[in-house]
Amino acid sequence: MQDEQDKKYKGHIIPIINQKGGVGKSTTAINLASCLAESKKRILVIDLDPQGNTSSGFGIDKTKLEKDIYNALLEDTPLEDMILETPQKNVWVIPATIQLAGAEIELVSSIARESILKRLLEPIRYRYDFIFIDCPPSLGLLTINALVAAESLIIPIQCEFYALEGVTKLIESMKMIHSKLNPTLDVFGVVMTMYDPRTTLSKQVVEEVRKYFGTKVFKTVIPRSVKLSEAPSHGLPINLYARFSKGSLAYLKLAKEVSRRG
Ligand code: ATP
Ligand code: MG
């Protein structure tokens, strides 16, 4: 294991971010990570949301955890003490539990409070090709920590009316972080989620988002799929739960695009 740990991988830090709730951040974090790992990439997923959806989506029993990302952010516990295996080979997760809910307020009095996660990641980042961070649906200090640690962002956007509303606010925050705390921050890609090919609305939203973000929008669009919503209750990523479902095929295709870009 020591050999493996000393090897250098890309260490690409990519938060999955949108302050709007329920747009597919956690679903994308779990399934993109898992599908990318099939092509021998080493992936770490950090659950930075007190809801802990990414942790449970990987089948982690949150009631049995001794440590989670809260202990790292607030008590300086090294991240490597809390890395867990997942059902998918080459994917590891740093879990979150509801105790993280207190962090937004407790972090306020910490020294260099915006860059704690960045500092904690330094010793471990080059053990992985990609580090995805599943962000909470807010622009508080947890999300700011992800933005400061990041090289670039993946923004999931749900194919629904008002899809771009809120994204403009995210871009404002990104610009603020860009100028003050992280001058190299960029958008890695925008992924359209919960696409319904039967509706013209879905098509219109994709068009509108492509006008706004141009080629940053991934060609792969994630369809609405019941299997994708069922998989977390089985604690499995989609490629292991329903490999040939349309949701799984879409995330496998997205993984290929991500791999080509990054
Ligand atoms: P939050 O902001 O609360 O963290 P989120 O952005 O992480 O939400 P998810 O939890 O990934 O969003 O998705 C919201 C809900 O929609 C979940 O119940 C999930 O299972 C479901 N869902 C996500 N993507 C799809 C899809 N492509 N097809 C069907 N259901 C989906
Ligand atoms: Mg989520």
Side-chain angles (χ1 to χ4, degrees):
M1 188 61 196
Q2 195 56 46
D3 281 355
E4 198 63 18
Q5 290 189 355
D6 290 341
K7 261 200 221 157
K8 293 256 180 195
Y9 295 85
K10 273 188 293 190
H12 203 143
I13 301 172
I14 307 183
I16 303 195
I17 197 163
N18 186 337
Q19 85 278 14
K20 196 161 185 181
V23 297
K25 293 180 289 293
S26 303
T27 304
T28 299
I30 295 164
N31 297 312
L32 176 59
S34 207
C35 291
L36 259 171
E38 287 197 4
S39 53
K40 306 231 166 37
K41 299 277 192 268
R42 288 170 60 86
I43 321 277
L44 177 67
V45 186
I46 299 179
D47 194 347
L48 201 59
D49 183 350
Q51 296 178 97
N53 293 339
T54 288
S55 309
S56 37
F58 277 123
I60 286 155
D61 181 353
K62 290 181 281 183
T63 62
K64 297 218 168 80
L65 293 174
E66 281 171 21
K67 290 181 265 235
D68 69 54
I69 187 74
Y70 173 92
N71 304 91
L73 293 168
L74 273 304
E75 294 162 4
D76 228 15
T77 308
L79 290 179
E80 86 183 309
D81 291 1
M82 54 190 70
I83 296 172
L84 302 175
E85 290 189 336
T86 72
Q88 172 65 49
K89 188 171 181 270
N90 279 337
V91 177
W92 292 265
V93 67
I94 293 180
T97 66
I98 192 66
Q99 75 166 338
L100 185 60
E104 292 280 6
I105 292 168
E106 292 165 43
L107 276 171
V108 170
S109 55
S110 299
I111 296 163
R113 60 195 180 186
E114 295 93 355
S115 51
I116 296 172
L117 184 61
K118 181 184 168 76
R119 180 174 51 77
L120 288 167
L121 273 168
E122 276 316 312
I124 61 161
R125 77 183 273 196
Y126 295 106
R127 292 176 201 172
Y128 306 94
D129 291 294
F130 290 96
I131 297 169
F132 294 122
I133 306 174
D134 181 23
C135 294
S138 68
L139 289 169
L141 264 175
L142 288 171
T143 298
I144 289 173
N145 263 272
L147 286 167
V148 171
E151 276 177 279
S152 54
L153 311 173
I154 287 183
I155 307 173
I157 297 183
Q158 187 180 342
C159 297
E160 54 157 15
F161 208 55
Y162 298 132
L164 275 172
E165 208 176 76
V167 175
T168 42
K169 193 144 178 259
L170 172 63
I171 299 298
E172 270 168 36
S173 308
M174 198 185 137
K175 283 187 181 146
M176 190 271 285
I177 300 284
H178 192 274
S179 65
K180 297 216 164 76
L181 295 162
N182 183 356
T184 55
L185 184 63
D186 195 7
V187 175
F188 184 85
V190 174
V191 55
M192 303 302 304
T193 64
M194 295 182 239
Y195 182 82
D196 182 349
R198 292 166 304 181
T199 66
T200 47
L201 175 66
S202 265
K203 289 188 189 109
Q204 282 167 354
V205 173
V206 173
E207 251 172 56
E208 190 190 356
V209 171
R210 284 197 199 282
K211 253 187 228 155
Y212 188 83
F213 283 103
T215 54
K216 290 282 184 197
V217 184
F218 290 110
K219 289 202 180 81
T220 311
V221 166
I222 308 299
R224 191 172 275 286
S225 143
V226 175
K227 293 276 190 250
L228 279 173
S229 57
E230 285 171 1
S233 60
H234 298 266
L236 289 171
I238 195 68
N239 59 321
L240 299 181
Y241 174 66
R243 171 144 203 103
F244 299 103
S245 62
K246 58 183 179 171
S248 171
L249 297 175
Y251 273 109
L252 285 162
K253 214 168 137 207
L254 180 68
K256 292 220 167 76
E257 262 193 81
V258 168
S259 201
R260 282 198 296 273
R261 278 190 198 188

